[in-house]
């Protein structure tokens, strides 16, 4: 997603695209409800399973306005007399039909972002219904995309419109009537985007057709299966397309495509080559690319990036990097596995998408460049672990991604990645990688064509790991996910005897095995009950605990550096 690290900020600051951004100096604030995603699924909103959405959106760049119609086929999960959708109240709802009958304007209301439609007659559970909603207006403009999201209205160097949406934190209701919750999914999407002639709308899934309307506009039609709500995107510009096919080791052929601005064809083709290498790595490490029946797509955008399903946003400027590959392309593409295939059940478990994805970056470096690159990248990530609040807040508490005091928005990336690094040490590759595969696909042997996204929690991950390892990992998950403070290693020396103890706020003993290097060899203390003792060859013998830095723990030097950085 919107990787807001020191690395990303530097990259964004260095980016100088040929673009001017049309942005309001002080855009009206979002309604309180609209600004929040993952509000409890209560009432009719929590009892609506949407099977299909046909979403038609006409984009008017000169007015910074959209007009849309959403047609929904849904199956109520309970008897309902009302339907409810999330929709930014700055949109005007002009027409609502229920089972092809137009409702009076008095039958719907949306004062606060909860569009409520009173039905002419109640509907029964499991009885399919059809609803269409016409809406339009000037959508919320992103203040700092993609971190503070919305619509981005921009221009290319030669003055052509260049438009994007990035709404992960704020939700799909900034763009269309939807159920704005991480756990909610729709089965199929038919997306039709109408733009002025000369522009191209790159979309999710497969392109079904392009239609010249004869009135100065063109419509692009896309169809996608199982799209994530915030992964549905508008990405519009005077695009050209670079294409190639990738023959997967699983036997299927995956179409690759990069929608880029004119003049960037060479860079787009180079990055498609990098994407092919990344598919090979991800498939060998975790499992098949989940959307090979549609495409692996990328589009150049006027903001840094976002993991829009099968059409990832890319704004990193095609610059060569010392990594040997484009870090942003790799990060967003890995989200196809961890965000678009494996989905967090609520924002509270968002580390599953962001932390595992961030960890794939040093993993890919290890694969492509060697272990030194892995270790160097992990050290970089360690400096951004703050651990001021629990990584998985209690259910019912909605964390704030942009809270710069809590820094939870950093921890879901960097603490999440370091937890995976520590798990790798604790359980080994032979348990951890199969666990990730099962978590992501629901099976240990995923097959292309038989894959559908799964919604998961942190407890699901624990259950899978415990099943594979036959170990109770409650102490690990409690200390790292449900407590704010990192484990501390207390060391006391009495002559040649050194005692070690793990200190955590958890009621459960932290039983992380500890390697201690004495001379040129390592010894492992099992730390039963959170304690261990070692006897040195002599009282002045040098020793080093956790010499390979495999355990996420409190580090006084990092803490002092972070305090100094935040003061400055």
């Amino acid at each position: 997603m919107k990787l807001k690290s020191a690395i990303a900020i530097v990259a964004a600051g260095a980016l100088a695209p040929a673009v001017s951004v049309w942005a309001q100096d002080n855009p009206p604030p979002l309604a309180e409800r609209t600004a929040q995603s993952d509000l409890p699924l209560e009432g009719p909103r929590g009892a609506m399973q949407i099977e299909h959405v046909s979403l038609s959106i006409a984009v008017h760049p000169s007015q910074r306005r959209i007009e849309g119609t959403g047609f929904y086929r849904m199956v109520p999960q309970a008897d309902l007399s009302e339907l409810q959708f999330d929709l930014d109240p700055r949109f005007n709802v002009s027409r609502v039909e229920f089972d092809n009958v137009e409702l009076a304007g008095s039958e719907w209301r949306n004062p606060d972002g909860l569009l409520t439609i009173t039905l002419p007659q109640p509907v029964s559970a499991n009885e399919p219904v059809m609803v269409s909603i016409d809406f339009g207006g000037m959508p919320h403009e992103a203040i700092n995309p993609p971190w503070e999201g919305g619509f981005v209205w921009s221009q290319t160097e030669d003055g052509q419109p260049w438009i994007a949406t990035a709404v992960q934190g704020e939700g799909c209701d900034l763009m269309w009537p939807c159920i704005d919750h991480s756990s909610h999914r729709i089965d199929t999407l038919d997306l039709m985007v109408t733009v002025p002639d000369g522009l191209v709308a790159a979309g999710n899934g497969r392109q079904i057709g392009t239609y010249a309307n004869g009135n100065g506009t063109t419509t692009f039609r896309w169809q996608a299966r199982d799209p994530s709500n915030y992964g549905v995107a508008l990405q519009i510009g005077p695009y050209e397309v670079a294409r190639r096919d990738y023959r997967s080791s699983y036997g299927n052929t995956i179409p690759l495509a990069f929608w880029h601005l004119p003049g960037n064809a060479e860079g787009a083709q180079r990055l498609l080559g990098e994407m092919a290498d990344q598919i090979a790595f991800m498939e060998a490490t975790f499992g098949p690319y989940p959307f090979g029946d549609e495409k692996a797509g990328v589009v150049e955008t006027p903001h840094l990036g976002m993991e829009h399903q099968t059409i990832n946003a890319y704004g990193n400027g095609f610059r060569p990097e010392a990594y040997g590959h484009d870090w942003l392309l790799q990060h967003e593409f890995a989200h196809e596995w961890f965000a678009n295939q494996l989905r967090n059940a609520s924002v509270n478990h968002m580390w599953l998408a962001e932390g595992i994805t961030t960890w794939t970056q040093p993993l890919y470096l290890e694969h492509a460049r060697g272990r030194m690159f892995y270790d160097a990248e992990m050290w970089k990530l360690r400096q951004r672990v703050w651990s001021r609040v629990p990584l998985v807040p209690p259910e019912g508490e909605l964390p704030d991604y942009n809270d710069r005091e809590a820094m939870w928005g950093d921890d879901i990336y960097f603490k999440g990645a370091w937890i995976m690094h520590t798990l790798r040490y604790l359980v080994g590759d032979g348990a951890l990688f199969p666990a990730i595969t099962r978590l992501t696909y629901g099976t240990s042997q995923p097959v292309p064509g038989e894959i559908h996204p799964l919604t998961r929690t942190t407890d699901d991950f624990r259950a899978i790991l415990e099943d594979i390892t036959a170990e109770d990992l409650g102490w690990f998950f409690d200390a790292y996910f449900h407590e704010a403070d990192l484990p501390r290693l207390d060391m006391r020396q009495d002559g040649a005897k050194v005692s070690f103890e793990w200190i955590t706020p958890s009621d459960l003993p932290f039983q992380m095995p500890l390697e201690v290097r004495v001379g040129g060899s390592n010894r492992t203390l099992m730390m039963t009950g959170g304690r261990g003792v070692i006897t040195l060859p002599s009282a002045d013998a040098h020793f080093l605990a956790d010499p390979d830095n495999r355990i996420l723990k409190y580090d006084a030097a990092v803490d002092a550096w972070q305090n100094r950085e935040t003061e400055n």
Side-chain angles (χ1 to χ4, degrees):
M1 186 197 89
K2 39 192 185 184
L3 184 64
K4 194 169 187 179
S5 67
I7 303 169
I9 292 169
V10 169
L15 178 61
V19 56
S20 62
V21 178
W22 312 337
Q24 299 172 358
D25 292 334
N26 295 293
L30 287 170
E32 182 178 358
R33 179 182 181 86
T34 302
Q36 291 279 359
S37 290
D38 282 11
L39 292 170
L41 287 172
E42 300 172 338
R45 179 172 162 272
M48 293 164 44
Q49 175 54 45
I50 299 174
E51 291 186 334
H52 177 77
V53 178
S54 290
L55 185 61
S56 300
I57 297 179
V59 180
H60 306 284
S62 62
Q63 303 171 33
R64 289 179 286 180
R65 176 183 176 85
I66 67 171
E67 295 174 354
T69 297
F71 177 86
Y72 304 81
R73 183 176 69 242
M74 64 179 66
V75 179
Q77 305 300 293
D79 296 347
L80 297 177
S81 58
E82 293 180 330
L83 302 179
Q84 291 180 333
F85 297 84
D86 297 301
L87 181 65
D88 188 343
R90 75 189 64 215
F91 290 118
N92 175 55
V93 176
S94 58
R95 179 185 176 95
V96 176
E97 288 188 0
F98 174 75
D99 282 347
N100 297 316
V101 176
E102 183 176 355
L103 303 184
S106 59
E107 299 305 309
W108 72 80
R109 56 199 181 277
N110 187 27
D112 59 356
L114 181 63
L115 173 61
T116 302
I117 301 168
T118 301
L119 301 178
Q121 63 275 337
V123 295
S124 301
N126 301 315
E127 178 183 311
V129 296
M130 310 289 186
V131 181
S132 67
I133 302 169
D134 292 354
F135 63 99
M138 297 177 66
H140 175 73
E141 295 187 23
I143 298 171
N144 183 29
W147 301 287
E148 295 176 85
F151 273 67
V152 182
W153 304 94
S154 307
Q155 282 186 329
T156 61
E157 190 175 40
D158 60 355
Q160 297 188 70
W162 192 16
I163 302 161
T165 57
V167 300
Q168 181 180 28
E170 296 77 10
C172 50
D173 49 344
L174 265 61
M175 179 177 150
W176 55 288
C178 63
I179 308 298
D180 181 20
H181 197 280
S182 299
S183 68
H184 193 270
R185 53 170 284 187
I186 58 179
D187 294 337
T188 54
L189 169 72
D190 200 342
L191 177 64
M192 289 153 286
V193 184
T194 300
V195 297
D197 287 344
L199 299 180
V200 173
N204 307 92
R206 294 177 295 177
Q207 187 170 0
I208 301 303
T210 302
Y211 311 98
N213 298 317
N215 60 357
T217 67
T218 303
T219 298
F220 295 83
R221 183 178 180 185
W222 296 87
Q223 287 183 347
R225 62 167 179 82
D226 305 305
S228 65
N229 284 339
Y230 77 84
V232 176
L234 299 181
Q235 298 175 125
I236 299 163
Y239 291 126
E240 298 172 355
V241 190
R243 301 183 187 274
R244 69 168 63 182
D245 287 338
Y246 174 78
R247 181 69 176 175
S248 168
S249 61
Y250 284 87
N252 58 314
T253 298
I254 303 169
L256 313 184
F258 201 129
W259 281 259
H260 59 86
L261 294 183
N264 290 335
E266 182 179 349
Q269 283 289 357
R270 174 172 57 82
L271 293 191
L272 285 182
E274 291 186 14
M275 185 186 295
D277 291 339
Q278 291 161 15
I279 294 176
F281 165 73
M282 294 292 289
E283 290 197 327
T285 307
F286 303 109
Y289 175 65
F291 307 102
D293 55 326
E294 295 181 338
K295 70 175 181 302
V298 186
V299 60
E300 189 176 357
T301 55
H303 65 86
L304 187 60
M306 180 63 67
E307 66 273 12
H308 298 136
Q309 189 168 311
T310 72
I311 188 65
N312 289 310
Y314 172 85
N316 205 27
F318 301 97
R319 298 181 305 273
E321 300 188 41
Y323 291 113
H325 71 277
D326 192 294
W327 73 268
L328 180 72
L329 181 80
Q330 190 275 326
H331 177 88
E332 302 301 352
F333 187 56
H335 271 311
E336 295 283 22
W337 282 259
F338 309 115
N340 296 334
Q341 170 63 27
L342 166 62
R343 300 175 182 175
N344 40 280
S346 71
V347 67
N348 300 54
H349 303 277
M350 195 169 166
W351 81 270
L352 286 167
E354 299 300 347
I356 300 177
T357 292
T358 301
W359 187 51
T360 69
Q361 294 178 258
L363 281 176
Y364 182 69
L365 283 169
E366 181 181 32
H367 162 80
R369 303 296 298 274
R371 181 70 188 203
M372 186 195 79
F373 280 77
Y374 176 91
D375 291 337
E377 189 70 5
M378 289 308 305
W379 169 237
K380 224 185 278 187
L381 301 181
R382 177 62 185 86
Q383 297 170 58
R384 311 307 302 179
V385 176
W386 303 89
S387 215
R388 295 174 177 172
V389 296
L391 190 61
V392 178
E395 293 301 324
E397 293 184 15
L398 291 177
D400 183 354
Y401 181 94
N402 292 304
D403 185 339
R404 304 317 291 167
E405 291 296 323
M407 299 300 281
W408 179 85
D410 268 17
D411 278 347
I412 56 175
Y413 299 91
F414 311 119
K415 184 177 180 180
W418 256 85
I419 290 171
M420 299 304 294
H421 174 68
T422 301
L423 267 175
R424 190 183 192 187
Y425 162 62
L426 177 64
V427 304
D429 290 4
L432 181 55
F433 289 103
I436 297 172
T437 297
R438 195 192 303 180
L439 180 75
T440 303
Y441 301 97
T443 176
S444 298
Q445 296 181 321
V447 177
E450 301 176 9
I451 298 169
H452 292 279
L454 295 178
T455 300
R456 297 293 205 178
T457 67
T458 306
D459 284 343
D460 292 330
F461 187 34
R462 175 185 168 184
I464 291 170
L465 273 171
E466 290 183 339
D467 182 59
I468 290 175
T469 63
E471 298 285 344
D472 183 347
L473 297 174
W475 59 272
F476 181 97
F477 277 73
D478 193 54
Y480 280 127
F481 293 107
H482 304 301
E483 300 289 349
D485 293 342
L486 291 175
R488 293 180 181 239
L489 182 61
D490 181 69
M491 296 183 289
R492 300 174 186 271
Q493 184 170 0
D494 182 8
K497 180 181 178 181
V498 184
S499 300
F500 300 91
E501 182 179 5
W502 288 114
I503 307 296
T504 74
S506 174
D507 293 333
L508 302 173
F510 189 72
Q511 304 190 85
M512 177 65 67
L514 179 68
E515 286 189 342
V516 181
R517 180 167 297 165
V518 181
S521 61
N522 291 352
R523 308 180 191 179
T524 300
L525 302 179
M526 296 313 298
M527 300 296 284
T528 303
R531 297 181 177 88
V533 177
I534 193 170
T535 301
L536 305 175
S538 64
D540 59 353
H542 176 71
F543 69 93
L544 182 61
D546 189 24
D548 296 318
N549 294 286
R550 295 176 173 179
I551 302 172
L552 178 57
K553 57 187 178 298
Y554 173 78
D555 188 313
V558 171
D559 188 58
W561 176 82
Q562 288 178 336
N563 289 335
R564 185 170 60 251
E565 289 295 302
T566 54
E567 287 172 2
N568 294 336

